Amino acid sequence: MSPRPTNDHHRSDAAAGRETQATSRRFARIAGTGSHLPPDRVTNQDLVERLARDGIDTSDDWIVERTGIRARHYVQRGVTSSQLGVLAARQALDAAGCTAQDIDLIICATSTPDMVFPSTACLIQRALGVHGCAAFDVQAVCSGFIYALTVADSMIRTGAARRALVIGAEVFSRLLDFSDRTTCVLFGDGAGAVVLEASDQPGVVASRLHADSRHVDILNVPGQIAYGEIVGSPLLKMEGQAVFKLAVSVLDQCAHEVLSLAGREPQSIDWLIPHQANLRIMFGTARKLHLPLDKVIVTVDQHGNTSAASIPLALDEGVRSGRIQRGHSLMLEGVGGGFTWGAVLVDY
Ligand code: UT7
């Protein structure tokens, strides 16, 4: 007989429900953050030399000037998103002062799942050695962490969960077409995570998610596994300029939407933590919000674009460097394939 799923540490749903009724104002706050980058750091110059061997011409100057990227990390072949995700999750649990036994929800944002199924979140649950809590993936490409955080916040506020692990984990290097210089220099691998827990204080103050599927074709990996083979291309394709233009317009708009929901002004933001794709997009968004550029957490220079992992990686970097302090107001913003975008305002 297969073992019955258990939630050993967790209270019953009824207990969670009673707590919701008793708590008139229930919020979700970030209790801890964590991240992990694979050890293989690849500089622009490393990439220039690697691509030159295949006759592909690029330069450190072009990459830095057009994107701000100086280096990225790649996994060794065979290393998966769940392996990166679990290392980030363990750090976040330590930072929150809790263990995997205390978690009753795991959401993993990824476009590079280990398998078609089960979900990467389930594989992370197994690696953490816990059983019974809800676990599922969210697929919104580079907006994935913003989507996952918003779902976890909603579940905590309704009493469906009490303490969640929200993870962004990606192995984008496995999707790259190294004969296409317009995309292969941009992306990297990594993972970031937060522990989000119920609290009587915010926490997540406001959030907004969007998608516009008219733009499916400007950024995608169209391949699929079917009938025992790969059908279509398994490599990333992007119309860079079209994505750039959309990103610049929606990020500013969405930040204003979330500020308006919260009844706050842009000047109240202590740190802007946008998706790390291109420094020009990130600084452009800050300028439109009239924020000084030193209020932007920047990791794209060292990580490249790690898709759903980029925001929690940047958040963790900001926390561990001591710049992000308790009480600070954070604007997290994602944008990516779908086309998807969204923002979450957090009082840290
Ligand atoms: O994560 C999801 C969100 N993604 C993004 O936000 C990415 C958005 N897009 C971008 O960041 C930028 O559009 C790119 C960085 C991808 C490209 O920058 P760009 O300034 O839009 O360049 P471009 O595509 O207009 O290309 C300009 C020139 C072209 O040469 P010609 O036609 O002017 O002779 C390209 O062939 O730069 C050339 N080029 C390169 N040259 C050297 C493109 N890639 C490279 C390269 N090295 N790697």
Side-chain angles (χ1 to χ4, degrees):
M1 201 172 77
S2 57
R4 187 171 169 270
T6 55
N7 230 356
D8 26 27
H9 57 288
H10 319 301
R11 300 96 20 88
S12 65
D13 290 351
R18 279 196 299 279
E19 186 178 303
T20 316
Q21 283 164 12
T23 313
S24 56
R25 282 160 55 85
R26 182 172 164 120
F27 297 99
R29 66 179 277 276
I30 294 177
T33 67
S35 63
H36 178 76
L37 289 163
D40 189 7
R41 182 172 180 273
V42 178
T43 64
N44 288 348
Q45 195 50 39
D46 294 334
L47 210 47
V48 167
E49 287 164 23
R50 170 178 171 172
L51 295 179
R53 287 197 287 274
D54 294 322
I56 310 290
D57 179 32
T58 186
S59 67
D60 176 51
D61 284 351
W62 190 94
I63 301 170
V64 172
E65 189 192 317
R66 306 311 295 166
T67 71
I69 297 168
R70 293 175 185 277
R72 74 287 292 140
H73 291 246
Y74 290 158
V75 297
Q76 294 292 317
R77 217 180 167 92
V79 173
T80 64
S81 292
S82 75
Q83 290 169 353
L84 302 183
V86 78
L87 293 169
R90 286 207 176 102
Q91 266 196 11
L93 289 167
D94 281 351
C98 61
T99 71
Q101 302 293 329
D102 301 317
I103 295 297
D104 58 9
L105 171 66
I106 301 173
I107 307 181
C108 182
T110 186
S111 306
T112 48
D114 296 23
M115 304 181 187
V116 173
F117 66 82
S119 68
T120 305
C122 280
L123 300 174
I124 289 172
Q125 189 204 61
R126 179 173 68 174
L128 289 171
V130 290
H131 314 283
C133 71
F136 59 92
D137 286 0
V138 162
Q139 219 292 33
V141 204
C142 302
S143 312
F145 185 77
I146 296 297
Y147 269 65
L149 195 60
T150 300
V151 171
D153 171 53
S154 306
M155 289 181 71
I156 287 174
R157 279 191 292 108
T158 60
R162 187 173 52 95
R163 192 176 283 119
L165 257 176
V166 187
I167 301 159
E170 300 279 20
V171 177
F172 253 58
S173 60
R174 75 174 216 222
L175 302 177
L176 297 180
D177 177 353
F178 284 96
S179 67
D180 176 7
R181 67 177 184 172
T182 68
T183 54
C184 72
V185 300
L186 305 175
F187 295 89
D189 304 333
V194 303
V195 172
L196 197 69
E197 68 180 16
S199 166
D200 56 5
Q201 299 292 324
V204 175
V205 180
S207 65
R208 203 50 140 191
L209 303 178
H210 291 283
D212 185 343
S213 53
R214 287 174 298 178
H215 306 292
V216 160
D217 294 332
I218 63 173
L219 175 52
N220 59 30
V221 179
Q224 54 168 298
I225 300 170
Y227 316 110
E229 47 186 61
I230 297 167
V231 178
S233 169
L235 300 176
L236 183 147
K237 301 267 177 291
M238 178 168 74
E239 290 174 31
Q241 282 203 6
V243 174
F244 190 102
K245 282 180 194 149
L246 269 174
V248 168
S249 73
V250 300
L251 286 174
D252 165 52
Q253 202 180 302
C254 199
H256 280 293
E257 257 183 273
V258 169
L259 285 166
S260 150
L261 281 172
R264 296 189 186 177
E265 297 298 323
Q267 295 70 32
S268 67
I269 298 170
D270 291 303
W271 295 105
L272 179 64
I273 312 177
H275 170 48
Q276 311 276 320
N278 188 317
L279 206 53
R280 289 185 290 145
I281 297 173
M282 295 161 63
F283 283 173
T285 305
R287 284 194 195 95
K288 284 187 171 181
L289 291 167
H290 302 290
L291 290 177
L293 300 187
D294 60 8
K295 287 197 168 190
V296 185
I297 301 283
V298 174
T299 52
V300 70
D301 56 332
Q302 296 304 319
H303 301 175
N305 180 346
T306 57
S307 188
S310 90
I311 295 169
L313 266 164
L315 171 62
D316 188 51
E317 161 69 26
V319 168
R320 283 174 200 271
S321 66
R323 285 174 291 167
I324 297 176
Q325 301 279 330
R326 286 288 171 197
H328 280 176
S329 174
L330 318 178
M331 176 65 79
L332 278 49
E333 288 204 279
V335 60
F339 201 73
T340 55
W341 68 100
V344 181
L345 184 65
V346 177
D347 284 346
Y348 182 72

